[in-house]
Amino acid sequence: MKHVRFRLTAWQKRGVYIVFTALCVHMNAFSQKDGNEKNEPLFTQFTYKGNDPIYKDNPLQPGEIYSPILQGCYPDPSITRKGNDYYLVNSSFSMVPGVPIFHSNDLVNWKQLGHVLDRPSQLKVEKAGISAGIYAPDIKYNPYNSTFYMITTQIAGGIGNMVVKTQDPAKGWSDPIKLKFDGIDPSLFFDDNGKAYLVHNDAPPTGKALYNGHRVIKLWEYDLKKDEVIAGTDKIIVDGGIDITQKPIWIEGPHLYKRKGRYFLMCAEGGTGGWHSEVVFVSDKPTGPFIPAPNNPILTQRYFQKDRKDKVDWAGHADLVEGPNGKYYGVFLAVRPNEKGRVNTGRETFLLPVDWSGEFPQFENGLIPLKPTIKMPAGVNNQAGQNGFLPNGNFTFTDKFTASKPDFRWIGVRGSRENFIATTQNGLKIKPFPVTIKAAEPTSTLFYRQQHATFEATVSLKYIPQSEKDLAGMVCYQKESFNYVFGITKKGNDDYLVLERTEGGKSTIIASAKVDVSGAVQLNVTAKGDSYTFNYSIDGQRFTNLGGTVSGDILSTDVAGGFTGALIGLYATSANDIVIP
C-alpha cells in the first residue's frame, strides 16, 4: 500500500488546532452533563463543635468522667469482657455499616474498632425503614471456646434473628447465621458448665395476650456446635413483667448473669419512653422459675418532675459487666431532652457504677435524677479526646477528608459509604445518585451524628451545578420524610442556595438566595436547643443567614417517630426536586 504525505500550511495547522480545541471543549461539556463524572461536589474541612452549657456548668473534678460516654444516637448498649479488654456495641437500625463496636481497657477511655456488620453479605437494609434494620445487639465472650458472639434481630432482608462470631473483634466477623425463632432482642448466656442458653422478647402464646404491650421473655437451650436453638427447649420464664396484675408493658432487652451460684435475669420494662426502667429477677436454675427482686425497678427516671434542670429521661435497656478491681458497672440508654422536650440527640449510651454487695444489683444513683458526672474506676486516667480515644463533653471534631478511609463516625443510611464517596488529596468527593434525600432507599449522603443540643457544623464546598437537577450541600436528617436540605442548585443560568423543610413528607422552601459559586462556599448549621440557623459564607469570614431561625422539632423522634437521633449529612443528588420560585 502506498502512503501519501500531506503538508499543511501554517493557516491550515491553525484551523486544525481550532477545530480540535472546540471538539475537546464540546466533549468536556458533554462529560459534565452526562453522568456527573466532572460534576462531583468537593467537600473539605468539616468541623463539628459542641457547646452544651451543662458541660460548662459542671467541669470535671478529679476522678470524674462525663456520662453519657457515647453522645448522640448510640442506643441499646451491650457490653462484654475478656481479661482487661471491654467491648461495647449499639443498635444501628438502617445505618451502614451496622453495629458500631468500641474497645476499652478501663471503661473510661474508648476507641471505635469499626463496625461488626461491615460487608453487604451481613447487612440487608437497602429497603428498610430508618428505624428498622438492626435492633438491640448483644455481645458476649465465651471463654470455653474463646469466641465472641454478636446476636441481634435484623428486621430487613428477610433475615430476622441472627448471630455472627469471631475470635478477635478487631479482625472482622463471620457472615450471619440465621436463627429459627420469633421475637426480638436475643441474648446469649454461657454457663460455667459449658452449656449455652438464649433469652429473648416474644409475644405471648396465640390468644393469650391480655393487653396492648403484653410481652414475655422466653429461654431456649443453645447448641454451640450447630449455632442454633435446640427445638422443643423453649420456655416462658417471665410473663408480662415483674407483676402482671399491673399490666406491665414491653418486657424486653433480657440479659442472663450468674453470680455466687445463682442466676439473675435483667430486663427493660415500660417501653423506651417516659416509663422506661430496668428490673431484675433471680433463680436457682437458668430455666427458672425467676422471682422478681423486691426493690424493682433498679434503674429509672420516671418518677421526677418533668421540668427538672439538666433533665435525663427514658433510662433503661441496660447491660452489666464486672469492671476493674471487681466493681460492677452498667451501660444503658437514656435521652437528654432540650428546652422544648425534643430528643434530637437520640438515645445515648450512659454508664453508672453498680452496687452488687447485696443479693441484687442496684445502679448507684439510678433512682434519683441522673447527674452529668460520675466517679470513674479508681486509678484510671481520663484521656478522652487524647491519644486516639473518643472525645467526651464539649469537643470539636475536624475532618479534612484526606485519609484513605473515612473516620468510623461517618456512616451511610441504607447504603455503603464506599458506593458514593472518594477521598482525594483535595478533600471528599461525593458521586451524586439520581435519588433525593426524601427517598426510602440508599442516597449519596455521608452522615455524622448530632451529639449536642447546642452545636455548630461547618463544611467548605466547591460545586458548580450544571442544571436544576443538580444539588449539593448539607442536610439535617431524622428520616426521609422529616429533614432540612441546605444546598446549592441552579435556576436558569443562575446558581442559588436554598433551604427546604420537609415535615411528614410535605416539603416547603423556606428561603433561597443567588450565590457566587466560582470559589468555595462555606455552609454552616448552628443549633441552640430547638432553634436552628443555616448560614453561608463566600469569603470564609463573614457568614450570612438564610431563612432566619427555624425549629428543630422535625429532627426529634417525638415528632418524626422512630428510634434514631438526628444526623448531619453531606449530600449530593442528580435528581433534585426543589424548584426555586
Side-chain angles (χ1 to χ4, degrees), residues 123-162:
L123 195 60
K124 306 292 183 182
V125 295
E126 294 87 352
K127 298 180 181 179
I130 188 67
S131 290
I134 299 297
Y135 274 36
D138 167 78
I139 188 170
K140 288 289 189 300
Y141 175 66
N142 184 356
Y144 305 102
N145 61 4
S146 301
T147 301
F148 291 86
Y149 294 76
M150 192 286 293
I151 186 170
T152 187
T153 311
Q154 184 168 174
I155 304 177
I159 295 178
N161 290 300
M162 53 167 274

Side-chain angles (χ1 to χ4, degrees), residues 175-402:
D175 277 346
I177 301 165
K178 293 179 66 172
L179 300 172
K180 296 179 181 180
F181 61 90
D182 295 326
I184 60 172
D185 294 8
S187 175
L188 287 168
F189 168 72
F190 306 114
D191 208 343
D192 48 21
N193 61 4
K195 292 192 69 172
Y197 299 88
L198 184 150
V199 289
H200 66 99
N201 161 298
D202 205 350
T206 302
K208 299 294 185 179
L210 302 179
Y211 51 87
N212 185 31
H214 179 194
R215 302 290 288 181
V216 303
I217 300 299
K218 189 176 285 187
L219 175 139
W220 301 73
E221 292 183 28
Y222 188 82
D223 189 325
L224 286 168
K225 292 183 179 179
K226 296 181 179 180
D227 277 308
E228 63 184 19
V229 293
I230 300 174
T233 63
D234 56 312
K235 179 181 182 181
I236 293 174
I237 55 174
V238 172
D239 186 5
I242 57 175
D243 183 357
I244 198 168
T245 67
Q246 301 300 308
K247 298 183 177 181
I249 60 172
W250 297 108
I251 191 77
E252 58 189 355
H255 295 285
L256 263 177
Y257 311 94
K258 188 175 185 180
R259 187 170 184 268
K260 296 182 178 179
R262 305 187 78 195
Y263 297 86
F264 295 84
L265 175 70
M266 192 173 73
C267 306
E269 185 184 279
T272 59
W275 203 247
H276 205 197
S277 70
E278 198 70 16
V279 296
V280 66
F281 307 78
V282 67
S283 175
D284 292 327
K285 298 184 298 181
T287 54
F290 281 89
I291 308 301
N295 59 329
N296 279 318
I298 59 173
L299 168 70
T300 192
Q301 293 291 285
R302 66 191 182 199
Y303 298 123
F304 312 120
Q305 288 183 329
K306 301 292 184 184
D307 60 350
R308 61 189 181 274
K309 188 176 184 295
D310 298 333
K311 181 179 180 180
V312 177
D313 212 353
W314 304 5
H317 201 113
D319 197 5
L320 302 179
V321 70
E322 186 176 349
N325 304 318
K327 174 73 175 177
Y328 277 84
Y329 286 82
V331 290
F332 59 97
L333 73 78
V335 296
R336 296 181 294 166
N338 66 25
E339 81 284 0
K340 293 287 183 69
R342 310 299 187 198
V343 290
N344 297 30
T345 48
R347 293 160 170 86
E348 305 175 287
T349 291
F350 287 71
L351 177 75
L352 275 182
V354 172
D355 181 357
W356 209 340
S357 58
E359 181 180 7
F360 295 100
Q362 182 69 56
F363 285 80
E364 295 181 14
N365 296 327
L367 296 177
I368 64 173
L370 291 173
K371 305 298 183 183
T373 64
I374 62 170
K375 290 183 178 180
M376 63 182 176
V380 176
N381 178 28
N382 184 359
Q383 302 179 66
Q386 307 170 46
N387 302 318
F389 293 107
L390 292 173
N392 198 230
N394 281 333
F395 59 82
T396 298
F397 168 72
T398 299
D399 197 336
K400 296 181 179 180
F401 301 118
T402 54

